[in-house]
Structure formats: structure tokens, C-alpha cells
């Protein structure tokens, strides 16, 4: 479900970017008033602007809905605990408390290259 919603969100984002880039600015309307020929288009003189504006508004609404849905879904999904919240298992106190397969003798540390400090 997350993957499908994420793909739909990305498609809406690309469509929204494309629609915004296709639209003309508000200053371009002045050229249409002096006969730039936009009245002979498929949607009419103002029909194209209204159609693109409505489509942009619908896509923006869908974009916000999918954004909030994804944020809610991913927030509910995560149950990651902090490293400081994880309780470490208690150390065994007696040799019989060791799990099976672990050696019972203690290992002496290897001699260090640095000599020990004298006691003062």
C-alpha cells in the first residue's frame, strides 16, 4: 500500500509541475486582448486558463492529501527504539548460568606492547 501511494504521489507531483510550467502568466492576457489569436483555440479565449487552473487546483489538492497520507502511514509504521531504550541481558553470575557452547574458562589478555606503570 505504501509503494502504490508513493508512486501515485510521484505521478501527481510530475503532473502538477508540468501543468504549472505549461500555464502562461497573468501578464500574457494583455496580448490576447490585442488579437494574438487565442480566441480561436480549442477552449476559447478564457476556457484554456480556466481548465488549466481547475486541473492545477485538483492536482494540488490530491498532492496534499497523498502527502498527509504518506506522512501518517510512515509515522504509524515505525516502531524503532533508541539504543538507550534497549535493555541488555544480565551477565551470568555463576559458571552454570552460561549458555550452552560457551567456554567456561577465562581468557588471559595478551601482553601489551607498552610496559605497565610502576606503582607509586
Amino acid at each position: 500500500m505504501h509503494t502504490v501511494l508513493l508512486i501515485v504521489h510521484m505521478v501527481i507531483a510530475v503532473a502538477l509541475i508540468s501543468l504549472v510550467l505549461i500555464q502562461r502568466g497573468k501578464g500574457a492576457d494583455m496580448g490576447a486582448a490585442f488579437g494574438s489569436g487565442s480566441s480561436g483555440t480549442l477552449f476559447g479565449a478564457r476556457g484554456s486558463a480556466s481548465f488549466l487552473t481547475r486541473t492545477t487546483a485538483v492536482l494540488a489538492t490530491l498532492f496534499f492529501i497523498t502527502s498527509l497520507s504518506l506522512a501518517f502511514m510512515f509515522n504509524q509504521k515505525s516502531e524503532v527504539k533508541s539504543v538507550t531504550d534497549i535493555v541488555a541481558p544480565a551477565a551470568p553470575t555463576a559458571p552454570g548460568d552460561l549458555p550452552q557452547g560457551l567456554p567456561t574458562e577465562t581468557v588471559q589478555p595478551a601482553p601489551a606492547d607498552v610496559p605497565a606503570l610502576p606503582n607509586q
Side-chain angles (χ1 to χ4, degrees):
M1 182 67 182
H2 292 138
T3 307
V4 172
L5 190 59
L6 190 61
I7 291 171
V8 168
H9 184 71
M10 295 303 293
V11 168
I12 290 172
V14 169
L16 187 61
I17 290 169
S18 301
L19 268 177
V20 168
L21 290 176
I22 286 174
Q23 293 180 23
R24 283 192 273 170
K26 294 292 181 185
D29 292 338
M30 197 59 159
F34 293 109
S36 68
S38 69
S39 61
T41 61
L42 177 65
F43 297 108
R46 292 290 302 164
S48 144
S50 297
F51 174 74
L52 291 177
T53 304
R54 287 182 189 149
T55 308
T56 303
V58 168
L59 285 177
T61 304
L62 289 174
F63 181 80
F64 283 119
I65 290 171
T66 56
S67 295
L68 291 174
S69 301
L70 283 170
F72 180 73
M73 290 173 117
F74 281 112
N75 189 23
Q76 295 298 322
K77 181 182 176 184
S78 65
E79 294 182 18
V80 178
K81 293 184 178 179
S82 174
V83 176
T84 58
D85 293 341
I86 298 174
V87 178
T93 57
D97 292 341
L98 288 174
Q100 295 293 333
L102 291 178
T104 57
E105 71 262 358
T106 58
V107 177
Q108 296 296 329
D113 294 339
V114 180
L117 293 174
N119 292 338
Q120 296 180 5

